[in-house]
Amino acid sequence: MPVISAPHAFNEGQLYVDLEPIYGRSLFLKCEGFNFAGSIKLKAATEMVETAERNGVLKPDSILVESSSGNLGVALSMIAASKGYRFLCVTDSRCNLSTRLLMKALGSRVLTISDLDDNGGFLGARLNYVRALCDADDRYVWLSQYTNPGNWKAHYRRTAPEIAQSFPRLDVLFVGAGTTGTLMGCARYFRQWHRPVRIVAVDSAGSVIFGGAPGRRMIPGLGMSMRPPLLDESYVDEVIHVEETDTIRTCHRLARHGFLFGGSTGTVVSGAMRWLAEKGDERELTAVAISPDLGERYLDTVYQSNWLQDLYGEEVMDFDDSAEDSWAAAPPPTRQESRPPHHP
């Protein structure tokens, strides 16, 4: 029976969902949402905070500040509350309302940026605000998830070994790309492993991480409007870009089978299934994809019909497996069928 005194001391790392019954193709989805922060970002947040403490960067009067579209902000809010630090999260208007409310409930301040940067995103404006804040007040400590090696080291030390332990015959790993901390940590680990593993990065269409043209992105999590400083493309074998409409359809397909996952997971699974359909028939592969979080924080976006229709149109609601809802159109039972059985 686990007994903990700090919330970041618990993190379930060995739970996988077999997606073959849903998709007809073997893919094991590593679920990283079962901790008190609700996402894989707990690992990076813990690594960066504890490294800053060991190096004497964090002091009792320090104020943590970070730019985040959501999940890292929640993880840092939780750790700051546990350790007695103050925390300011600089986010933007794409951050889910539930995520902002959660950070505030944990005692953090949340500042929402609405100005776009030169690439049509918010990241540049968020970073400029954080830099100006740190220059003006030396109490602020910016961990900088975009440049901090603790971001990728957390996954080199924990996430990748967890996968290796469960799948000693792993052939291909699908990892979503944002700051690329998870991607780089896992890729570096498996580059040194006892057998070759194909590393496939999954990015959002409209992201410029791998040099693509910038475009509108409304679902937070994956993708960036600048090239991540942590990225080393020599560790990446392939890149797949996924349209947000495919992300949404994948999320809803999984939900209709009882698995409520976040937008990043929908993107990764969509990209992985496309890759497996194109290349996975060559031989039987052991394939794993990483699910960063669960879906509760996306109920007012990815799972909200008005939000979807306003941004993507009616066609986005035409989910591939809608035939499975045939029960909804079934006629009601007749009066006789609905009458309780007679007992003499």
Side-chain angles (χ1 to χ4, degrees):
M1 178 181 67
V3 177
I4 62 173
S5 57
H8 52 282
F10 171 78
N11 194 353
E12 173 57 58
Q14 291 292 6
L15 177 64
Y16 296 82
V17 174
D18 181 1
L19 295 182
E20 186 167 14
I22 300 175
Y23 283 93
R25 295 185 182 278
S26 179
L27 178 66
F28 298 97
L29 188 62
K30 188 180 194 302
C31 300
E32 290 281 350
F34 291 96
N35 56 60
F36 284 97
S39 81
I40 195 171
K41 290 292 189 177
L42 177 60
K43 291 175 176 175
T46 302
E47 180 77 21
M48 291 189 295
V49 168
E50 293 185 347
T51 299
E53 288 176 330
R54 288 193 300 270
N55 294 340
V57 175
L58 276 174
K59 301 176 177 62
D61 65 338
S62 295
I63 305 172
L64 283 168
V65 61
E66 187 57 81
S67 161
S68 170
S69 62
N71 282 337
L72 184 75
V74 172
L76 287 173
S77 294
M78 187 192 76
I79 293 172
S82 174
K83 291 176 173 286
Y85 297 115
R86 288 172 290 175
F87 173 56
L88 168 64
C89 181
V90 179
T91 188
D92 59 65
S93 56
R94 293 178 307 169
C95 180
N96 296 328
L97 174 61
S98 58
T99 299
R100 297 198 298 269
L101 293 175
L102 181 52
M103 288 189 282
K104 291 179 180 179
L106 290 166
S108 300
R109 288 179 55 213
V110 179
L111 188 142
T112 303
I113 297 293
S114 57
D115 297 328
L116 296 174
D117 58 28
D118 294 337
N119 286 324
F122 295 99
L123 181 57
R126 281 168 25 192
L127 297 182
N128 288 338
Y129 185 91
V130 172
R131 291 190 188 100
L133 193 65
C134 292
D135 289 342
D137 190 335
D138 59 11
R139 293 177 301 166
Y140 284 96
V141 174
W142 181 21
L143 297 175
S144 184
Q145 62 168 321
Y146 310 101
T147 60
N148 194 321
N151 189 346
W152 69 261
K153 287 180 180 179
H155 305 289
Y156 181 90
R157 293 169 178 166
R158 296 192 60 186
T159 307
E162 289 166 357
I163 296 170
Q165 178 183 347
S166 296
F167 297 93
R169 303 292 297 174
L170 180 67
D171 293 303
V172 56
L173 178 64
F174 300 94
V175 188
T179 64
T180 67
T182 307
L183 175 63
M184 288 294 97
C186 291
R188 283 188 168 94
Y189 180 91
F190 284 111
R191 178 64 63 86
Q192 304 169 351
W193 208 36
H194 67 88
R195 58 180 278 120
V197 174
R198 196 157 194 81
I199 302 296
V200 180
V202 184
D203 195 9
S204 299
S207 165
V208 304
I209 290 176
F210 296 96
R216 185 188 76 162
R217 293 179 295 110
M218 300 304 299
I219 301 174
L222 299 185
M224 283 182 65
S225 57
M226 59 175 278
R227 180 183 172 87
L230 294 178
L231 176 63
D232 183 343
E233 290 189 59
S234 68
Y235 288 96
V236 179
D237 296 301
E238 293 183 59
V239 179
I240 297 175
H241 286 90
V242 175
E243 297 287 342
E244 288 192 332
T245 50
D246 292 327
T247 292
I248 291 161
R249 292 189 179 102
T250 300
C251 285
H252 281 259
R253 182 169 184 175
L254 292 170
R256 291 182 182 206
H257 289 269
F259 295 106
L260 194 73
F261 286 109
S264 298
T265 300
T267 302
V268 173
V269 171
S270 177
M273 285 301 172
R274 188 205 310 168
W275 189 95
L276 291 170
E278 295 172 354
K279 304 180 181 182
D281 291 335
E282 299 172 2
R283 62 185 178 91
E284 188 173 341
L285 297 172
T286 298
V288 171
I290 297 177
S291 165
D293 61 1
L294 301 178
E296 290 91 340
R297 296 174 193 169
Y298 301 81
L299 291 177
D300 57 347
T301 53
V302 172
Y303 296 101
Q304 216 281 336
S305 59
N306 291 337
W307 187 86
L308 294 176
Q309 291 171 9
D310 288 346
L311 289 174
Y312 305 98
E314 293 284 344
E315 60 274 12
V316 77
M317 303 297 293
D318 184 19
F319 303 117
D320 292 340
D321 58 346
S322 58
E324 297 176 7
D325 284 347
S326 58
W327 58 268
T334 64
R335 293 178 65 87
Q336 187 166 350
E337 288 173 330
S338 62
R339 188 179 300 139
H342 172 69
H343 296 285

